[in-house]
Amino acid sequence: MTFSTVLPDAIRPDVETLWDYHDMHHAVQPADVGIGLGSHDLGVATCAADLYQRSMFPLIVFTGANAPTTVGEFPRGEAVHYREHAMECGVPAEAILIETKATNTGQNIENTRELLAEEEIKVRSAVLISRPYQQRRAYATCKKLWPEIEVICASLPMSLDDYLESIGSFDRVVNMLVGDTQRITEYARRGFAIEQPFPADVLSAYDRLVRAGYTSRLI
């Protein structure tokens, strides 16, 4: 099966609107720990390694088991493969902890918090490293479950088109974007995350993409 990475002109404005919405546009500052959230995107580990080498934090926690979308790519678990990739990028083994049971963002946060407490590592601030379009949901989840720490969001800096090329399918990325947009309001309603602003242009873009059939990642 072949996949296209070229975003159709008809949906580009709406996809760009959601892409920008999910980017928290945080300036990365030094923190106590970097937390790499497991997913299908190995760029999370690349970003974590780069920030570690820039002395943004002294320790990385990679968190993640597997999901249906990642078990083929990371058969030994997301955190395990992330750790190996970060080490290939030059991060020493002793600077990485892994949490291998989480299967969703809430568990990523809760399990990481528990792991750091068990290791008696005090955390006042964290850089939360995720896929570019997961930033806002990760931030809202972390502030709900770990409200006392300062949270900075980061992702591998890439343009939308470069990200589509790296993933290999615009359809996959657009469906994930639409799904994460729905989760911003739905997870807040369910008490899983804090509320986030939801501007009218974002809602309109989301509605048009749903009507266009990008619904495979909706709850």
Side-chain angles (χ1 to χ4, degrees):
M1 183 179 294
T2 59
F3 298 96
S4 174
T5 62
V6 180
L7 196 63
D9 289 341
I11 64 170
R12 175 175 286 277
D14 290 334
V15 175
E16 289 178 342
T17 294
L18 298 192
W19 176 263
D20 184 68
Y21 171 68
H22 287 283
D23 187 337
M24 297 296 290
H25 301 286
H26 287 167
V28 178
Q29 302 292 332
D32 295 324
V33 64
I35 302 172
L37 304 181
S39 72
H40 63 269
D41 184 354
L42 200 59
V44 173
T46 303
C47 181
D50 176 66
L51 293 174
Y52 172 85
Q53 290 166 337
R54 290 166 52 194
S55 300
M56 290 298 165
F57 35 74
L59 176 70
I60 301 171
V61 179
F62 289 124
T63 166
N66 271 125
T69 56
T70 65
V71 66
E73 296 168 85
F74 306 134
R76 286 172 290 114
E78 298 155 3
V80 172
H81 285 267
Y82 276 20
R83 178 180 184 272
E84 292 171 351
H85 183 72
M87 291 172 63
E88 291 172 359
C89 293
V91 180
E94 59 269 23
I96 304 173
L97 296 176
I98 59 171
E99 183 290 306
T100 61
K101 296 181 179 180
T103 58
N104 58 54
T105 306
Q107 291 176 7
N108 288 144
I109 301 302
E110 291 179 326
N111 294 0
T112 296
R113 183 179 188 176
E114 291 174 4
L115 174 62
L116 291 167
E118 290 170 1
E119 296 289 334
E120 298 184 345
I121 298 170
K122 294 183 178 180
V123 176
R124 296 174 300 276
S125 59
V127 178
L128 207 55
I129 306 156
S130 69
R131 297 163 290 176
Y133 57 84
Q134 190 187 6
Q135 282 192 23
R136 186 173 293 277
R137 179 163 64 85
Y139 175 84
T141 303
C142 190
K143 294 302 290 183
K144 178 70 175 186
L145 300 176
W146 204 352
E148 62 269 31
I149 67 168
E150 179 184 357
V151 180
I152 300 168
C153 292
S155 301
L156 198 64
M158 300 179 74
S159 69
L160 172 58
D161 288 315
D162 286 345
Y163 191 75
L164 295 171
E165 187 67 30
S166 74
I167 297 302
S169 166
F170 83 80
D171 187 80
R172 182 180 188 181
V173 172
V174 175
N175 275 293
M176 297 290 278
L177 261 173
V178 171
D180 266 39
T181 303
Q182 181 198 38
R183 284 161 174 77
I184 293 297
T185 54
E186 184 62 21
Y187 283 5
R189 186 183 67 80
R190 297 184 186 188
F192 300 160
I194 65 169
E195 292 186 358
Q196 292 288 285
F198 207 79
D201 63 329
V202 174
L203 177 58
S204 296
Y206 166 80
D207 285 342
R208 283 190 291 267
L209 289 169
V210 168
R211 290 198 300 271
Y214 295 97
T215 59
S216 69
R217 291 292 296 172
L218 294 181
I219 299 170

